[in-house]
Structures are given as C-alpha cells and as structure tokens.
Amino acid sequence: MRYRQLTTGSLALGVVLLIDVLRVWLPGIITIFGQAASTPAELMGAFALGWFVLAMAAPALVRRVGSRRVAGTAAVLLAVARLALTSAPGGRPQLWLATAGLLAGLVWLVGVAGGTDRPVPGLALGLAVNAAVHALLDTYDLVWRGGWAAWLLSAVAVVLFLLGTALPTALPAALPTAPPGPGGARSWLLAGPVLLLTGMVALAPALAETGMSYLVAGGDVARSPLFGLAPVPVAVAGFLLAALAGPTRRWGRPLGPAALLVGVVLFALDRGDLLVAAILLTAVGLGACLALTDAPGRADAVAAETAETGAADAVETGAAGVGTGAGAGSEAGDGGAAGVDGTRRTAARRGYAVAAGMLLFVLGAVGYYSAYDLGYPNAAVPVVVAGVVAAVALAARPSGKRRPGPLPPLRTAGAVAALALLAPLFADEVAVASNREGPPERLRVVAYNIRMGFGLDGRFDLAGLSAAIDRQRPDVVLLSEVDRGWLLNGGHDTLDLLSDRLGMPYVFGPAADPVWGDAVLSRWPVTDLRSRSLPSLGAPTGAQALAVTLDLGDGVRCAVVSTHLQPPPDAGPVAQARAVADFATGYAAGRPLVVAGDLNTEPGDEAFAQFTSAGLVDALAVARPLATSPADDPRQQIDHVFVSPGLTASDPVAPRGEASDHLPVAVTLTLPPR
C-alpha cells in the first residue's frame, strides 16, 4: 500500500469516528447539559463553543512537539472515547466522555493537518463512508444500538484507524513518500463548513428519507415511502466524483459553487418537496468546491517542487556522507534544525486553518439551531456557510499542474455508492392492517411527547419508546416533538425508526420545518390528510395541527388530530388551543373525533377550556389528577386526550418511564353504536 493511500484511509476513518462522537455530543448539549428547555440557549451555546475555542491552542502544540506526536496521542484518545461510547452510559458520564472524544478529535485533526497538504481525498472519503454506513444502519448508529455486533464493528473501525495512524511512522522506509508541501490550508479550512453542510443537507440519510416521503405523499403532509433512502447513493456518488476527479477547467470553475448555493437556498426555503433536489445539488457542489482547493496554487507548486528536490538531494547527500567527519554532521544538524522549525511553522498554519474551520462548524450549528429557542430567522445560516465555502474555493488559483490523487475517482465513488445502495434495497414498507373483520368496537389511543427520541438520561432510546407504546397495544398513536433529521439531534429519522419497530405506518405534520413536528401512526388506513399551521405567538419551533381520518371499514370513520401547543412567553396557548378546537371540529364534520398531544395547559386553565367549550370531552377525567411531566417526578398535567361526546373513554393511564421527559397517556375509546 502506498503512503498516500494509507494516510488517506486513516484520515477517512478518523473522520468517521469523529462524526460518530459528534452524533452523541451534539444531542447531549440539549438533553444532558440542558434540561427540558430550562437551560438558557446562550449558556448551551457557550458550552458548545468553548471546546472548539480550546482546540485553537492545538496548533501551538504542533509547532512545539511536532504534528506526528500530537496526531498519534490524540488518535488514541479519540479511539478510546469512541469505543467507550458504544456502551451508551447515559447521563453526565456520557456527556463528558463524548466531550473528551470531541476535543481529542479536534486536536487529532490539527495534528493530521500538520503533516498533510492534500486532505481532500481523505475528508471526502470519510464523509461519504459515514453517510453510507449511517444509511445502511437506517440512521440508527452503532453507538446507540449496543450488543456484541455493535462492539465488534466499532472495535474493527478503531483498530484499523489506529493501525493507519501508526504504520506511516513505524515503517517509513517501506512507504515511499515525499515531504508535505506548503499548501493545503484552504482545503483544511473547508473541513468544518463542509462537515456542517454534509451533516445538515448533502449527505444526511434521514433528510433524504424525509424528502422522499414528501414526494410520495405530495402536499404538506408526509407518509412512509418505499425506498426512502434511494437519494443517498446518488448523493454519495456525486459528492465523491466531484471531489476526487480534480478541479475543472477555468470555464467550469463557477459551476460547483453555483450548484452548492442553489442547493442550500432550496434547503433554506423549508419546503419538503424541494429537499431531494437540495440534497443532490448541495452534494455535487460541495464535492466540486473541495476539488477546487485540492489543486496547488502557483506559489505552492513552486515551493513543493523545491521541497521535493531538496528532499531528494538530502537523501543522496546523506547516503554519500555516511562515515564523514563531525564537522559535516554538525552542519547537517544545524540545517536539519532549521528545516524542522520551518516544517513545524507550516504545519501550525494548516493546523490553525482546520481549527478555524471547525470553529465555523460549531458557530453555524449553534447559530442555526439556537434559533428554535431564541426565535430569530435561521434560514440565512446555511446560505452564509455555503457562501464561505464557495468563496474559498473560487479564491484558489491552481497552478495548472494537476496532481494525481491517491484514490481512483470512479471506482471509489462506485464502491461507496454501492454500500449506500444496500440501504434502500433492504428497506421495508410497513403494511397497513386489513379491514376484513369489520370495524372495531374500541380504539386504544396513545399520545406521547417523545423528545426527539432521547430519554431523561440523554440516550437515544428507541427500545424504551417503542416498549412504552407497544405495551398499551395501541390502534393509533399521536406523537409530539418528532425529529426526522436534525444534525443537532444526531441525524436520525426517529419517526421512521419507531414506525418500523411498532409495525405502524405514519403520517407526519411539519411544524418548525419539514423535519420537525408531529405525527400519527395507525393500524388502520388513513385518508383525507390535512395539516394546519397555528399562530406562532412567539413560539420558535412553530405549531401545527395534523388531521387524518381513520378508515375503520364498512363506512365507519373516525377523525384524529395530533398537535403540540407552544405557549408564548409568560402566557398560555389560548389562541392556539382555540385554533385547534375550531379546525378539529370543522374537520370532523360530525364524525367521531379525537384530539390529543402535548397541549402545555392544565385542567382549569383558559386554554384547556377552549376544548371543552367547543363541545369536546376530557377523556382522562376519571383518572385526574394525571400528571405527565417531568417524567421522573410528574407534577404537571399537560398531555391530554379530548374526544367528541359520542366516544366513551375508559382505562386512562400515564405509565411511568424515562424514555422521554414526558409520560405517555393512553385511553380506550368505545365507538358509538352503528
């Protein structure tokens, strides 16, 4: 194996491990460091930003002790943290373990940058492989899965990464190489922004799955699609081909940045039917921008050729001068010391570039997602980041001499795309139950705020959520705080994963944006899907009401409305409650009606009264008080089920558990006689 291939593979594996750590660390800021929206967004942002600022000291360490020592030590710490996270300890230990892994990963990147002037192949391969594996795992990472298979696969990745890090140092004579040139700073600067945009848009399997569901369903409401992950191998192949094929000729140089900007603008429009186009354009555009920085500038090319010539002369001189006097040795030593110092200065410059790029990553991530707490428009954030990437790429002035890369573009893109292609081929569509036995006499209804899939301990707890729901043997499930691909929450399609586990197809209603909102899962076919936006009233995550009709057979139908009311600061969600009650009763048009969700209001409140004054009945009344929040010490009655008078409620419960920060509520509804 050639030296460049080995270092490229090691860089790619390190990127995969670092992203794995980020998928644990980013949600930990919200679910462990922050608690139930009680921690100020500014404080959480400062916590996140602080570790990336701390990593800015790493280039000085590189200049003092050398890039190989820094990279090697940090690689071991990153590998240990990643392997330890497979145990998913939860709580503060998980947060600090992920934080240690993050800081080690940032320092490792700085160390690797010091000795690598062509990072684009390794960065691109790592990002693409991580996306392909994430899709193959159906967005449910090894870190959260646990079990012997997750440990084994994680251990294999860690061992290969450490071997790839150690071998170039241990076997220098067997691996022909030239010293790194002075270039590469632009490519390293883009590492952070590209990581952000691939995680948010270009190589995000959950976003691709969600985008496909909008195209299948049409309109504003998304349903479970067959082959929902089909765009992923296309995006992966396009990204890798554009990144590894080398920079285009002068007339074609603006095409990649233009595609990137168009793709990100489509994403920023917050339209579900544009997500697939946004993914594909952003993927190809990002790859092309990376390729533009991979070509050496004119000054870099001259300096690199001089460095390679000097290295060859040094080897010949050393061979000829074996056994010469101490005076010659002293001169070589003085010259070597000066060369080492210059090399370390160059390494530090690249280190500062990658550290600054990762700082842009966290600034962009915090800036985008904190908007959902602070309430300012965030659509400009990814567009600005894409603008930075495009500007850096266009500013690169290639020397005209194209250097061959360590990876064949077509074969590499084909191999990784084939890995991603397994995901849609293995995907199953959940079948809807048949109506052959006629309409049921009763429906078991569950309403649950699932907090994006994370339990009180900060673990992504699909098993706990699905068990809490499945124990109630539900016919219909209404979910709040459903996340379908936010990078901040690890990039999972929580709704699709729960749908698969429960064997219940879903309907999704977007609230904050196309991938965050509410959902209905049903064992009966659903028709007449409608989603109504509610008055925001200063609620940053937005609110909506999702209405569906259950087709129970023989002409029997029941209307179901899932919602999550978001009260404005220091007030109740009275206006939203009134809007939901009006929408729901109008939608039902005299049919049996169920309205449920996290309503953020308690019995006796003015917002609660909006539902009863509309003629609806509190289905949980016989079990009052029935507190549902917080899950570990429930004191508030804010999760509710309201029904039309013709439905008879029985067996209402709020079973204890900590798979979310809310408890689910469940009730059996007897349908009116036909």
Side-chain angles (χ1 to χ4, degrees):
M1 181 178 289
R2 295 177 181 176
Y3 177 86
R4 283 190 299 162
Q5 292 173 330
L6 186 61
T7 54
T8 295
S10 177
L11 175 56
L13 274 172
V15 168
V16 170
L17 298 182
L18 177 58
I19 295 174
D20 283 351
V21 170
L22 279 168
R23 287 203 179 109
V24 179
W25 183 77
L26 285 170
I29 299 172
I30 303 298
T31 61
I32 303 175
F33 184 82
Q35 292 295 324
S38 60
T39 305
E42 297 88 347
L43 182 59
M44 291 188 288
F47 174 82
L49 185 62
W51 302 104
F52 288 79
V53 172
L54 184 60
M56 292 293 292
L61 185 63
V62 165
R63 186 167 181 177
R64 181 177 294 273
V65 302
S67 60
R68 283 191 175 183
R69 290 181 182 177
V70 171
T73 303
V76 172
L77 295 175
L78 170 60
V80 169
R82 168 59 186 86
L83 196 58
L85 283 172
T86 308
S87 65
R92 294 284 174 176
Q94 176 180 296
L95 176 63
W96 292 116
L97 191 59
T99 300
L102 168 71
L103 188 57
L106 295 175
V107 175
W108 167 78
L109 271 179
V110 170
V112 172
T116 308
D117 60 350
R118 292 200 67 188
V120 168
L123 291 173
L125 183 62
L127 293 167
V129 168
N130 188 276
V133 172
H134 196 50
L136 189 60
L137 294 171
D138 201 14
T139 75
Y140 186 26
D141 305 299
L142 294 176
V143 170
W144 303 116
R145 285 175 179 263
W148 67 268
W151 276 100
L152 178 61
L153 293 173
S154 298
V156 169
V158 163
V159 169
L160 290 176
F161 168 61
L162 291 177
L163 285 175
T165 301
L167 278 177
T169 303
L171 303 172
L175 298 169
T177 181
R186 284 193 177 90
S187 300
W188 281 112
L189 178 62
L190 291 188
V194 169
L195 175 59
L196 178 67
L197 293 177
T198 53
M200 286 180 65
V201 191
L203 301 180
L207 191 73
E209 194 163 46
T210 306
M212 285 292 288
S213 69
Y214 279 97
L215 295 179
V216 168
D220 294 327
V221 184
R223 287 176 282 186
S224 175
L226 184 64
F227 299 135
L229 292 168
V232 177
V234 180
V236 165
F239 172 74
L240 276 178
L241 281 174
L244 301 181
T248 56
R249 296 184 181 276
R250 181 172 298 178
W251 62 266
R253 286 170 58 79
L255 294 180
L260 169 62
L261 291 171
V262 171
V264 173
V265 167
L266 292 179
F267 170 76
L269 292 176
D270 278 350
R271 285 184 48 181
D273 57 341
L274 297 178
L275 288 179
V276 171
I279 288 167
L280 299 179
L281 284 170
T282 305
V284 174
L286 279 175
C289 287
L290 280 175
L292 289 175
T293 66
D294 194 36
R298 293 181 175 87
D300 290 343
V302 172
E305 290 178 5
T306 303
E308 290 181 13
T309 303
D313 292 343
V315 170
E316 293 178 6
T317 303
V322 172
T324 57
S330 177
E331 287 183 19
D334 293 342
V340 167
D341 186 61
T343 299
R344 288 184 176 178
R345 282 198 302 270
T346 301
R349 282 196 292 271
R350 282 195 292 262
Y352 281 118
V354 71
M358 293 306 293
L359 192 58
L360 290 175
F361 165 85
V362 72
L363 286 171
V366 169
Y368 184 81
Y369 291 108
S370 63
Y372 293 111
D373 288 315
L374 301 179
Y376 59 83
N378 61 358
V381 173
V383 177
V384 169
V385 174
V388 171
V389 173
V392 171
L394 290 173
R397 291 288 180 260
S399 65
K401 178 181 179 182
R402 183 175 294 182
R403 297 180 293 175
L407 301 173
L410 188 59
R411 280 185 293 173
T412 304
V416 181
L419 179 64
L421 187 61
L422 296 176
L425 291 179
F426 288 158
D428 293 322
E429 184 169 11
V430 180
V432 182
S434 171
N435 290 337
R436 290 177 192 167
E437 298 180 1
E441 294 182 359
R442 299 176 182 83
L443 291 174
R444 186 67 172 171
V445 176
V446 174
Y448 202 179
N449 180 325
I450 61 172
R451 196 170 76 146
M452 297 83 68
F454 289 87
L456 283 181
D457 60 358
R459 294 177 63 248
F460 187 62
D461 193 6
L462 281 178
L465 287 172
S466 58
I469 297 170
D470 203 37
R471 278 194 294 267
Q472 300 303 318
R473 299 185 178 276
D475 295 294
V476 59
V477 180
L478 298 86
L479 300 178
S480 304
E481 291 194 10
V482 176
D483 172 30
R484 305 202 59 197
W486 274 4
L487 175 63
L488 182 70
N489 295 324
H492 316 105
D493 188 348
T494 311
L495 179 57
D496 187 77
L497 290 168
L498 275 177
S499 172
D500 290 343
R501 282 179 170 255
L502 295 170
M504 301 176 70
Y506 66 78
V507 179
F508 178 68
D513 61 18
V515 296
W516 197 97
D518 311 297
V520 174
L521 290 81
S522 173
R523 297 197 188 282
W524 298 93
V526 298
T527 60
D528 194 18
L529 291 66
R530 300 185 200 175
S531 180
R532 176 71 56 85
S533 297
L534 302 178
S536 64
L537 304 175
T541 52
Q544 66 85 52
L546 169 64
V548 301
T549 296
L550 304 185
D551 182 358
L552 303 176
D554 294 346
V556 178
R557 290 175 171 80
C558 179
V560 174
V561 176
S562 176
T563 190
H564 179 194
L565 302 187
Q566 299 282 343
D570 303 321
V574 179
Q576 289 184 347
R578 185 184 305 117
V580 171
D582 291 344
F583 167 67
T585 53
Y587 173 84
R591 293 170 295 175
L593 170 64
V594 180
V595 180
D598 176 3
L599 304 184
N600 276 306
T601 185
E602 297 200 71
D605 291 347
E606 185 180 357
F608 189 93
Q610 297 299 315
F611 295 98
T612 56
S613 62
L616 300 178
V617 177
D618 177 11
L620 309 179
V622 297
R624 298 292 183 193
L626 193 63
T628 58
S629 177
D632 55 344
D633 183 21
R635 299 181 302 275
Q636 297 176 301
Q637 303 181 74
I638 58 177
D639 298 272
H640 305 288
V641 179
F642 288 97
V643 298
S644 55
L647 294 171
T648 303
S650 60
D651 301 323
V653 294
R656 299 298 291 266
E658 297 186 1
S660 172
D661 60 345
H662 286 240
L663 299 180
V665 291
V667 64
T668 298
L669 303 176
T670 301
L671 295 169
R674 286 177 285 164

